[in-house]
Amino acid sequence: METNSRLDKIAAFLIAAAFVFVFYFLIKGFDRDLKLSRANQNAKLVYSAAQFALEQYVKQNGTYNTKNISTLICRGSESENVHLGNSVTLNLKEYLGEDFSGYFSFTTDNAGDDIEYALWSSSPFVDITQKSGKEQDEWVKEYSSSSKNPIIGCYPFSS
């Protein structure tokens, strides 16, 4: 009887350990998905803010110097004067708000009057503004899937 009791305890312990192990990795994956969702929402906010600021700039100055330009990676606290090159400076702070934080980047389209995509991360990340469309989407997914790299949100993803 004592042997069965020990085996029952060992079996119960192993079952509990397996349950904890599986539960831990489910929660860890859920947490990463939640962080990616938040990063994508912040990228969408950057995209919208950049679009509004670009529209204001184009109304005042035209599109001649806003074609195919990208931001370097900026911190949220630097959003008041985002320099796009060609003497183009946009103020995103009024659209992002005073408390916006994190790092972001975005690229204009060929015509210079629309934002092609925006990226956001809570940590500094590699500048990938030279990539476009599907190549950029795939890079973001691969880069963000490594737990060693910061999660990067992107908006919009190409289909």
Side-chain angles (χ1 to χ4, degrees):
M1 282 277 201
E2 206 171 294
T3 306
N4 282 344
S5 174
R6 278 190 179 160
L7 288 176
D8 288 345
K9 287 179 183 178
I10 291 172
F13 175 76
L14 290 175
I15 290 170
F19 178 74
V20 168
F21 182 76
V22 168
F23 187 71
Y24 170 77
F25 283 103
L26 283 174
I27 292 297
K28 189 173 179 180
F30 178 74
D31 182 53
R32 188 148 181 91
D33 288 347
L34 192 61
K35 287 178 182 175
L36 182 58
S37 177
R38 179 177 169 255
N40 286 336
Q41 287 299 318
N42 283 336
K44 186 175 183 178
L45 181 61
V46 169
Y47 178 89
S48 298
Q51 185 63 47
F52 288 132
L54 184 64
E55 285 174 9
Q56 289 297 98
Y57 182 89
V58 167
K59 281 180 188 175
Q60 295 170 357
N61 303 293
T63 61
Y64 59 92
N65 53 352
T66 57
K67 295 180 180 185
N68 280 335
I69 51 179
S70 303
T71 61
L72 298 173
I73 297 168
C74 300
R75 285 191 315 210
S77 59
E78 299 166 345
S79 63
E80 191 164 349
N81 293 306
V82 176
H83 302 288
L84 301 182
N86 298 340
S87 333
V88 177
T89 302
L90 301 179
N91 182 348
L92 273 63
K93 189 165 273 204
E94 64 182 280
Y95 303 108
L96 292 174
E98 293 290 324
D99 297 331
F100 185 77
S101 62
Y103 296 82
F104 63 89
S105 179
F106 57 88
T107 300
T108 64
D109 66 356
N110 292 336
D113 57 358
D114 201 11
I115 301 298
E116 192 171 72
Y117 66 85
L119 306 172
W120 180 91
S121 180
S122 61
S123 305
F125 57 93
V126 177
D127 186 10
I128 60 165
T129 54
Q130 300 309 310
K131 298 180 185 294
S132 62
K134 216 166 191 122
E135 179 186 33
Q136 183 260 342
D137 291 348
E138 290 168 6
W139 188 92
V140 167
K141 288 176 190 173
E142 182 180 325
Y143 185 82
S144 292
S145 67
S146 170
S147 59
K148 296 176 185 174
N149 296 328
I151 292 174
I152 297 177
C154 179
Y155 185 83
F157 278 113
S158 48
S159 12

